[in-house]
Amino acid sequence: MSTKGEHHTVPLSVLLKRESANEKIDNPELVHGQFNQSKKGEDFTFVKTECQRVTGDDGVTTFSVFGLFDGHNGSAAAIYTKENLLNNVLAAIPSDLNRDEWVAALPRALVAGFVKTDKDFQERARTSGTTVTFVIVEGWVVSVASVGDSRCILEPAEGGVYHLSADHRLEINEEERDRVTASGGEVGRLNTGGGTEIGPLRCWPGGLCLSRSIGDLDVGEYIVPVPYVKQVKLSSAGGRLIISSDGVWDAITAEEALDCCRGLPPEASAEQIVKAAVGKKGIRDDTTCIVVDILPSEKPAASLPPPKKQGKGIIKSMFKRKSSGSSSNIEKEYLEPDEVEELFEEGSAMLSERLDTKYPLCNMFKLFMCAVCQVEVKPGEGVSIHAGTANCPKLRPWDGPFLCASCQEKKDAMEGKRSSGDRHSSESD
């Protein structure tokens, strides 16, 4: 018989059962489906579920990835990005991070991965480009990075519609028009002669109607690959993601997309959304949809239940922001948000703003490593991402992050400080 004050040994079977229960709480069940109607054969998708990662505390966690690549001027950029983007993003995340640190490092890694993929592709081909909507789900946290005009929306179980991507069409994005013209591009409609202009606003030369993409070197390097990134945490009630190319969004609204597949499982939902879009405007372009249900793991993998009715005053794209105040370990461990909680949002096209990180996040990344391509940069050889920025303080040798010489050239070109043809003309000499 044990005496008072003795420690009781917990059987291994009990510990494993507790661990299994905790895993169910921490990790939702993901059910996905996709559908496509092809016109040009330039839409591609990427789905990889239950990717395993060893954490810094010797645990194992999983994440899932969903990508949509809408190519133009050929499929080369979309195929290359599909095959290489995830590896480039993961290469930019330091090893040995725990779960929270890994999630916090994702926004910077997504930017680095997009820029490296673009840089590497442009060294292989001058033509072809692609939009990208790239979604990583880790537990209840959804991270979305996007360039172009494909979109990702979220309907949480509590109701409402949340836009997790940005639309980089020049027609509707005044900030991007200003950035392109400031970097040396021209924005205007197609001139048919005699002063008559038709169609959407485009970037000249090239005539692309987007301001951000991967590829498109023939258009100009002011068409940048720097993604808009949004990161949110769902409540444990879950939600539904819809990731679709512009073939869907040019025909139906987010609300119509959600309503037309209400109560259907993901695969049937994706098909219904595509058919609704094509039925409304015909198949003018490749039309692709991925639907992902994020469900509490104890519930059966069926269709997402209808959301609660929302009042008229709900602002669709507003989030509950993460509190700046500190909370106890107990609160962090047990309290879940009762609505969608915004963890991160940034859309600047400036690498000096996107790759810079504040303490303590900056300590996760190696200082003398190119922040984009991850090659080692010797002290004194790298160029600080802050070099040349307006009103920057006097830089010290350790004021990183740093870029290697070729990534610094890429940064200068994107900001209009070097002609996009300079590098290629010098290489051909």
Side-chain angles (χ1 to χ4, degrees), residues 32-70:
H32 69 275
Q34 58 181 298
F35 190 77
N36 164 267
Q37 284 198 12
S38 183
K39 175 80 170 179
K40 302 175 184 175
E42 294 176 341
D43 273 12
F44 295 86
T45 60
F46 178 88
V47 174
K48 192 170 184 179
T49 58
E50 297 187 359
C51 308
Q52 287 197 333
R53 184 185 71 85
V54 178
T55 63
D57 49 10
D58 295 327
V60 176
T61 187
T62 61
F63 62 93
S64 297
V65 185
F66 305 90
L68 176 54
F69 314 93
D70 181 357

Side-chain angles (χ1 to χ4, degrees), residues 86-193:
L86 177 60
N87 287 339
N88 289 337
V89 171
L90 295 180
I93 303 178
S95 57
D96 300 326
L97 300 183
N98 65 35
R99 193 171 189 172
D100 289 343
E101 290 169 340
W102 194 84
V103 166
L106 257 182
R108 171 173 152 168
L110 284 162
V111 172
F114 270 62
V115 176
K116 176 171 169 53
T117 302
D118 176 77
K119 178 173 173 282
D120 291 349
F121 175 73
Q122 289 185 350
E123 290 171 356
R124 291 163 171 78
R126 288 182 64 88
T127 60
S128 180
T130 187
T131 74
V132 182
T133 302
F134 202 64
V135 180
I136 297 179
V137 182
E138 212 285 6
W140 298 102
V141 177
V142 178
S143 304
V144 181
S146 60
V147 291
D149 58 359
S150 298
R151 297 183 208 165
C152 175
I153 63 169
L154 163 70
E155 181 185 48
E158 296 83 7
V161 182
Y162 299 88
H163 296 267
L164 303 185
S165 57
D167 194 330
H168 293 124
R169 282 183 291 187
L170 291 163
E171 183 72 32
I172 66 171
N173 198 319
E174 184 178 356
E175 266 186 54
E176 287 294 281
R177 294 199 296 270
D178 292 342
R179 181 190 61 77
V180 168
T181 53
S183 298
E186 294 183 15
V187 175
R189 304 185 194 281
L190 180 64
N191 194 325
T192 59

Side-chain angles (χ1 to χ4, degrees), residues 131-355:
T131 74
V132 182
T133 302
F134 202 64
V135 180
I136 297 179
V137 182
E138 212 285 6
W140 298 102
V141 177
V142 178
S143 304
V144 181
S146 60
V147 291
D149 58 359
S150 298
R151 297 183 208 165
C152 175
I153 63 169
L154 163 70
E155 181 185 48
E158 296 83 7
V161 182
Y162 299 88
H163 296 267
L164 303 185
S165 57
D167 194 330
H168 293 124
R169 282 183 291 187
L170 291 163
E171 183 72 32
I172 66 171
N173 198 319
E174 184 178 356
E175 266 186 54
E176 287 294 281
R177 294 199 296 270
D178 292 342
R179 181 190 61 77
V180 168
T181 53
S183 298
E186 294 183 15
V187 175
R189 304 185 194 281
L190 180 64
N191 194 325
T192 59
T196 304
E197 295 183 339
I198 61 170
L201 287 173
R202 299 176 184 272
C203 182
W204 305 97
L208 189 67
C209 60
L210 305 173
S211 61
R212 301 196 197 188
S213 68
I214 286 180
D216 291 312
L217 184 59
D218 55 326
V219 178
E221 288 195 83
Y222 36 77
I223 304 299
V224 301
V226 183
Y228 169 89
V229 177
K230 178 164 274 188
Q231 192 176 66
V232 298
K233 185 175 184 180
L234 279 65
S235 76
S236 56
R240 166 168 281 187
L241 297 172
I242 296 177
I243 309 159
S244 295
S245 59
D246 63 327
V248 166
W249 307 121
D250 286 346
I252 60 177
T253 66
E255 290 80 4
E256 288 171 336
L258 289 162
D259 288 344
C260 79
C261 63
R262 185 80 63 204
L264 296 176
E267 192 164 345
S269 294
E271 181 176 356
Q272 185 65 28
I273 289 168
V274 170
K275 287 183 175 179
V278 170
K280 198 165 185 180
K281 285 203 168 182
I283 185 161
R284 302 179 180 180
D285 194 4
D286 296 336
T287 307
T288 304
C289 180
I290 305 171
V291 175
V292 184
D293 282 350
I294 304 172
L295 304 167
S297 56
E298 66 271 14
K299 290 188 178 180
S303 59
L304 196 70
K308 298 174 185 174
K309 293 285 185 183
Q310 294 292 328
K312 235 180 177 181
I314 294 293
I315 306 297
K316 298 294 185 186
S317 30
M318 286 186 65
F319 293 84
K320 172 188 171 186
R321 290 194 171 271
K322 188 174 184 180
S323 171
S324 57
S326 61
S327 34
S328 68
N329 290 333
I330 293 177
E331 287 175 328
K332 286 181 180 177
E333 187 172 354
Y334 293 109
L335 291 185
E336 289 292 334
D338 57 3
E339 55 187 283
V340 176
E341 178 183 5
E342 182 180 342
L343 303 179
F344 181 91
E345 180 182 20
E346 181 57 68
S348 170
M350 304 296 289
L351 286 184
S352 58
E353 297 176 12
R354 303 302 300 277
L355 296 177

